[in-house]
Amino acid sequence: MAEPLALYVHWPFCVSKCPYCDFNSHVRERVDQEVWRAALLADLRYEAALLPGRRVSSIFFGGGTPSLMPPATVAAVIAEAAALWGLAEDCEITLEANPNSVEVAAFADLAAAGVNRVSIGVQSFDPQVLEFLGRAHSGDEARRAIAAAQSCFGRASFDLIYARPGQALSDWERELADALAFGMGHLSLYQLTIEPGTRFATLAAKGELVIPDGDAAADLFDATQAMTRAAGLPRYEVSNHARPGEESRHNLTYWRYGDYAGVGPGAHGRRLCQATERHKKPENFIAAVERNSHGIKVESDLPAHERATEAMLMGLRLSEGVDLARVEARSGLERAAFVDADAVARLAGMGLMRADGDRLAVTGDGILLLDSILSEVVRTD
């Protein structure tokens, strides 16, 4: 049997748009749930017809705010995936959630629908920071959401955003210590970045929003690594920390360059040496499904070199690094075509990379220089 398949399902709706967010999210007064359920299932069936004989190892409901999905819709998608492909015995089914009380109230029903892992967008517990980030929940709501998640689901994670304007190292250490005290098996800790097209980008262009510079951000990052490692949640990817065995299996499929089907508005997929992308705007997605029985906007073949490059750029984000033999097998190219061996030797001598047989990884000392390391090591032509 071919490798297991990951399934990504995008729910595009949010109550409001956060100023730092560049995800495909939309605010709508009314959502016709029956229409949306039918469209997602049709889109799913299209992917399944192209990918027979596979088993689904993970399902990830992302957004948008998928905790706004009716649990019946979540259950219908899971049941359809099970009927079309079959689910691995230990299939990881994750749903992203906001900590608002109205969404937390649905946790038990979502667990009954088949969700066994939840990822909560906490971002901060501080009321002033939450207001700055445009979040619609309070610190107390976040704490209650985490407690509810821990009681309803087998596995849970939450996100925090740091390296914010004016954030002192001592403030972040205190905030992270509070987060670690929940005893979660997984945390996603993101440095604030200014994404094009967001309200924060507009403020930054005017000089009204300034995030910590390289040295200050590096100090925050180093403190993050030390504290999470001491708490038994080492970094396994640039921004993701977990107890061994608690890593997000779905995201590992991306980073290890496995196949994944993406359904729903704006969802991306990688399967059969192709890249797929759905229509982003909800109305355009629905129209496409009604017209074609799928929501695909772009379906393009990925040349061998592009596949190898993507695999390298994704895999070197992981602490475990990349399996060069696997990239060769997935691309059909010899590693000399996509790895600069001289650059690897030089960077390994500087302690920034680790090369051991087929395994190539960026070290802890090198991870802050990841972008420049990638540009040196990965041959793109």
Side-chain angles (χ1 to χ4, degrees):
M1 180 180 274
E3 283 188 5
L5 182 72
L7 171 63
Y8 175 77
V9 182
H10 193 85
W11 183 257
F13 302 111
C14 284
V15 173
S16 60
K17 184 80 173 176
C18 296
Y20 57 85
C21 176
D22 68 338
F23 293 156
N24 184 38
S25 59
H26 304 265
V27 178
R28 296 289 186 271
E29 282 187 20
R30 184 178 173 277
V31 176
D32 188 324
Q33 298 294 345
E34 286 191 21
V35 167
W36 274 92
R37 189 179 310 172
L40 289 174
L41 295 179
D43 210 24
L44 186 58
R45 285 190 287 270
Y46 178 81
E47 288 295 308
L50 294 173
L51 294 161
R54 306 294 286 268
R55 189 165 291 274
V56 172
S57 57
S58 65
I59 303 174
F60 194 103
F61 292 90
T65 308
S67 48
L68 295 172
M69 292 178 76
T73 299
V74 175
V77 171
I78 295 170
E80 192 73 6
L84 293 166
W85 282 299
L87 306 183
E89 195 171 321
D90 60 347
C91 185
E92 175 191 86
I93 303 178
T94 302
L95 183 134
E96 290 182 329
N98 280 333
N100 310 69
S101 54
V102 66
E103 295 169 42
V104 172
F107 277 6
D109 289 338
L110 289 167
V115 174
N116 54 29
R117 182 178 182 273
V118 72
S119 178
I120 308 172
V122 170
Q123 317 312 359
S124 177
F125 297 97
D126 184 297
Q128 287 181 299
V129 175
L130 290 168
E131 184 178 356
F132 163 71
L133 293 172
R135 304 298 287 168
H137 64 269
S138 68
D140 284 342
E141 279 185 307
R143 292 181 183 91
R144 286 195 294 270
I146 292 166
Q150 288 174 312
S151 68
C152 289
F153 302 99
R155 297 166 64 206
S157 175
F158 65 85
D159 302 353
L160 292 178
I161 292 177
Y162 70 105
R164 305 181 301 254
Q167 186 178 33
L169 178 59
S170 58
D171 291 340
W172 171 235
E173 288 175 332
R174 189 164 52 251
E175 191 171 353
L176 181 54
D178 288 345
L180 290 166
F182 285 102
M184 306 290 270
H186 189 286
L187 287 176
S188 297
L189 306 170
Y190 300 106
Q191 291 202 355
L192 179 62
T193 53
I194 307 301
E195 302 294 346
T198 63
R199 188 158 68 81
F200 275 4
T202 303
L203 294 173
K206 295 177 183 174
E208 296 175 11
L209 179 65
V210 180
I211 59 177
D213 63 19
D215 287 344
D219 288 344
L220 290 162
F221 183 85
D222 288 342
T224 302
Q225 308 318 305
M227 290 180 66
T228 53
R229 200 163 45 240
L233 277 78
R235 173 181 58 80
Y236 71 96
E237 188 270 345
V238 175
S239 302
N240 286 277
H241 303 255
R243 285 199 201 104
E246 291 288 309
E247 299 87 355
S248 166
R249 289 178 227 147
H250 183 85
N251 287 334
L252 282 174
T253 297
Y254 297 161
W255 293 317
R256 290 171 177 165
Y257 210 59
D259 283 348
Y260 60 98
V263 304
H268 289 255
R270 290 289 184 278
R271 42 96 167 131
L272 306 177
C273 302
Q274 289 183 319
T276 64
E277 183 183 349
R278 262 58 184 175
H279 287 275
K280 291 180 74 170
K281 189 177 177 185
E283 292 77 9
N284 293 351
F285 172 79
I286 291 292
V289 172
E290 290 174 350
R291 187 171 60 246
N292 305 318
S293 297
H294 63 74
I296 288 179
K297 181 181 181 182
V298 177
E299 190 173 37
S300 57
D301 293 335
L302 284 170
H305 213 286
E306 199 168 329
R307 297 200 300 277
T309 297
E310 285 190 344
M312 291 295 293
L313 297 182
M314 296 295 277
L316 287 174
R317 296 180 63 86
L318 289 167
S319 297
E320 70 180 31
V322 67
D323 180 343
L324 297 176
R326 175 177 165 76
V327 180
E328 288 178 326
R330 296 283 288 173
S331 67
L333 299 174
E334 296 289 326
R335 65 191 64 179
F338 54 83
V339 177
D340 186 325
D342 292 339
V344 169
R346 185 176 70 255
L347 291 164
M350 297 166 65
L352 302 177
M353 294 201 82
R354 187 173 64 254
D356 181 16
D358 290 331
R359 180 67 57 179
L360 180 64
V362 177
T363 65
D365 288 339
I367 201 69
L368 278 171
L369 304 169
L370 178 62
D371 288 347
S372 58
I373 288 173
L374 292 174
S375 68
E376 289 189 53
V377 167
V378 182
R379 293 185 185 272
T380 56
D381 52 28

